[in-house]
Every structure is written in C-alpha cells, then in structure tokens.
Amino acid sequence: MQLLDGKKISQEIRNEIAAEVKKLKNKGKKVPHLAAILVGDDGASQAYVSSKVKSCQEVGFRSSLIKLKKDITQNELLTHINLLNNDDSIDGFIVQLPLPKHINEQKVLLCIAPEKDVDGFHPVNIGRMTLNIPCYIPATPKGILEILKRYKIETEGKHCVVIGRSNIVGLPISILLARKGYPGNCTVTLCHSKTENLKEETLRADIIIAALGKSEFLKANMVKKGAVVIDVGITRVEDETKKSGYRLSGDVDFDDVSKKAGYITPVPGGIGLMTVVSLLQNTLSAAKEEFYKKTLSFNVEEDF
Ligand code: GUN
C-alpha cells in the first residue's frame, strides 16, 4: 500500500504558487487577492476559513475575511456579495457553506459573478466544467485530480465508484473523472443513499471516492485488493484525549482498508489540504484572468 500524501503534495504546490507570486511582484503586478465571507459561528466552518486565510498569507496572497452574524438577512448577504463582485481589488471570493437555514444557498451562489467564483459553484462554472471549457473547478474535486496526477495514477478505462452526490464533491468529481483526458476517461458509477447493494458496486471499483460524510463508513470487505481509495470525509468525533475535545475522522476506516488498498489518502493529511491549495490555484488563475477576461465578463472569450 502506498500513502497518497496530501501534506507533501500540497506543500509542493504551495511552493510553486509562492514562486509565481514572487514573479508577479517582480514584474510590478499586484498580488492575488482572495476574500471569504463567513456567516455565523459554526466551529468547523470557522476552522476551514481560518486555514484558507492563513494559507493565503503563506503564499504571499492578500486576503480579506468578512464575518457576518448568523441572523443576517439574505438581502444583506447579497449586498455584501454585490460589493465584492464590483470591487476591482478582489480577484476572487468564496462564501463558506453551509449557510444558515433561512438563507437560500442556491440564490446566493447564483449572485456570485462567475469570473470571481473561485469555488467553482456557480452554474456557469459547473456548466463549463461539464463541457470541458476552461473554468474554476470546485476545490475538493480539483485537489483529488491533482493528487491522482502527481502520483501518476492510471485512470483511463478504470471503474471509479463515487459514494455521495453532493454538489461540492460527489457530483463534480463524477463528471470530471468521466471527462476525456487525464485524469479522466474513467467509467464512473455515482452511488448515494438510495443505491442498492453498495458493497457490490464498491467491490468492482478500481478507484473509490468516499464523500458521504459518515465516519469510517468504508471497510476493507467493501474494497477490491489494490484499489485506489480517496477519502474526502472530515467528521469531528469526540475524543477526550485531545486538547480540542475532538479528532478528525474520514469516511474510510483507514486501519482496516489500508491493509487491502493499493493507494490510500489519510485523514488528516490527505484531501483536506489539497482542497485548500486548489482554492489558492483558482485564485491565482483569477488574478491572471486565465478563464474570464474582466472586460468581456459573460461573453465568450476571444481565446477559446
Ligand atoms: N464547505 C465545505 N467545503 C466547502 C468549500 O470547498 N467551499 C465553500 N465555500 N464551503 C465549503
């Protein structure tokens, strides 16, 4: 079994991004600027956003954190989004999910200008991703593709089983791995809570993406020998031995599955770290106007 080391790979990518930022500075260009909106005081969301902001500082990006109260109205939130859409100093921004129940998440995501949507959640970016048109790819799936690529894992013709159909991970990664190209050209099965005989599906898989959000759900008896196992889960489980009172647990029973898998990502130290660097890569692309020219905005790009 080989460990797919998200810590090592994400550090490599951070170094590459930091070097690019230096180059931009030397050319007299401004450094990429990411903004994040955080609504409410959910502990996990606060931790994720802090780690995104800290990572920006580490690679030399500017960052702005906009913290809003959990009882903010939807219209007030949309006003903040509009300000960021129209603020030329900001290259890209994210609205950390989930949002409080009284806010319509879809409406919020629709209001983010696609050219600043570095999370890649806007329907324009999802549509472009699906059609293989250059765009921001959602950070977690992008991180999965990157780790497969850097470990040179063969994907063509492989049977990939994705467990979980969330808009953030399961759905986009199933599209990406089925696309033409590398990593891709997989035969993909997207499994979810209504799937019958899930074990039959996972046992046929060369690549398993576990993204259902259930701690230690995937066991060795559900995995074919030598399979590539990607664990997207990050659940906080109580642990009195930890100072924080909890530990992070993945969707894969690591000790069990690692005896059978060919490759496996750990939690922590796997896809979570890849997600953060993917957001940085998207922000760098936004600053370099790689996918959308600011002046053309919604028009079809000249160079595509
Ligand atoms: N919540 C969980 N994952 C993500 C993510 O990648 N982006 C945002 N904005 N919210 C999330």
Side-chain angles (χ1 to χ4, degrees):
M1 180 278 294
Q2 180 170 3
L3 197 71
L4 299 174
D5 188 346
K7 197 169 173 187
K8 175 172 155 260
I9 300 296
S10 65
Q11 190 55 53
E12 271 175 32
I13 299 172
R14 274 165 201 261
N15 295 345
E16 290 163 15
I17 297 172
E20 275 230 42
V21 173
K22 260 195 190 151
K23 270 195 217 156
L24 287 176
K25 271 189 182 166
N26 290 342
K27 283 190 202 158
K29 299 210 170 140
K30 72 175 189 61
V31 301
H33 185 181
L34 173 74
I37 296 182
L38 174 64
V39 183
D41 46 20
D42 175 71
S45 289
Q46 278 177 339
Y48 295 146
V49 171
S50 303
S51 121
K52 292 172 186 178
V53 168
K54 194 168 147 239
S55 300
C56 280
Q57 285 156 3
E58 282 168 11
V59 296
F61 285 7
R62 258 182 89 189
S63 62
S64 299
L65 174 57
I66 297 140
K67 283 188 176 178
L68 303 171
K69 294 207 169 71
K70 65 171 180 283
D71 57 358
I72 188 170
T73 66
Q74 182 167 295
N75 274 344
E76 284 168 326
L77 174 58
L78 295 182
T79 303
H80 280 279
I81 290 175
N82 230 2
L83 285 173
L84 296 178
N85 282 340
N86 292 302
D87 182 342
D88 284 343
S89 78
I90 284 170
D91 296 299
F93 67 96
I94 63 161
V95 178
Q96 187 64 29
L97 304 178
L99 289 167
K101 294 252 176 326
H102 67 280
I103 294 175
N104 182 332
E105 209 161 274
Q106 270 189 343
K107 200 161 179 179
V108 167
L109 297 179
L110 267 174
C111 288
I112 298 175
E115 65 273 24
K116 291 198 178 185
D117 170 38
V118 285
D119 254 332
F121 292 166
H122 190 285
V124 164
N125 280 313
I126 301 285
R128 289 174 71 132
M129 174 194 79
T130 305
L131 299 173
N132 224 336
I133 299 170
C135 65
Y136 305 113
I137 305 286
T140 303
K142 185 177 169 77
I144 296 172
L145 296 186
E146 194 67 37
I147 207 161
L148 292 173
K149 200 154 82 182
R150 297 224 178 195
Y151 278 91
K152 299 187 170 63
I153 288 172
E154 187 68 63
T155 59
E156 186 163 317
K158 301 293 178 197
H159 184 206
C160 173
V161 168
V162 178
I163 316 172
R165 57 178 155 180
S166 71
N167 291 344
I168 294 179
V169 186
L171 181 69
I173 194 64
S174 65
I175 293 168
L176 288 161
L177 284 171
R179 288 192 330 186
K180 280 187 182 164
Y182 177 76
N185 286 334
C186 288
T187 303
V188 178
T189 303
L190 178 53
C191 298
H192 46 75
S193 52
K194 302 285 186 265
T195 297
E196 291 177 2
N197 302 323
L198 177 69
K199 190 174 159 189
E200 247 172 51
E201 302 294 341
T202 56
L203 276 171
R204 287 193 299 127
D206 304 304
I207 301 170
I208 300 177
I209 315 278
L212 69 160
K214 280 194 184 159
S215 170
E216 298 187 353
F217 175 84
L218 192 78
K219 306 286 182 193
N221 67 3
M222 300 167 78
V223 176
K224 181 167 82 175
K225 191 157 174 41
V228 179
V229 178
I230 305 287
D231 190 351
V232 179
I234 314 181
T235 308
R236 288 181 172 195
V237 295
E238 274 184 36
D239 187 338
E240 287 166 7
T241 66
K242 302 277 177 201
K243 215 166 84 185
S244 58
Y246 68 85
R247 69 182 161 84
L248 295 180
S249 165
D251 289 351
V252 176
D253 185 337
F254 184 90
D255 292 341
D256 194 27
V257 175
S258 57
K259 291 178 207 138
K260 210 154 169 205
Y263 295 87
I264 188 167
T265 62
V267 175
I271 297 303
L273 295 172
M274 295 301 297
T275 297
V276 180
V277 291
S278 299
L279 176 66
L280 298 178
Q281 287 177 315
N282 278 346
T283 306
L284 184 60
S285 293
K288 290 161 71 182
E289 298 186 19
E290 271 176 8
F291 310 131
Y292 298 89
K293 300 278 177 284
K294 278 177 189 142
T295 47
L296 287 172
S297 192
F298 288 97
N299 296 334
V300 173
E301 269 62 59
E302 280 167 341
D303 56 356
F304 181 72

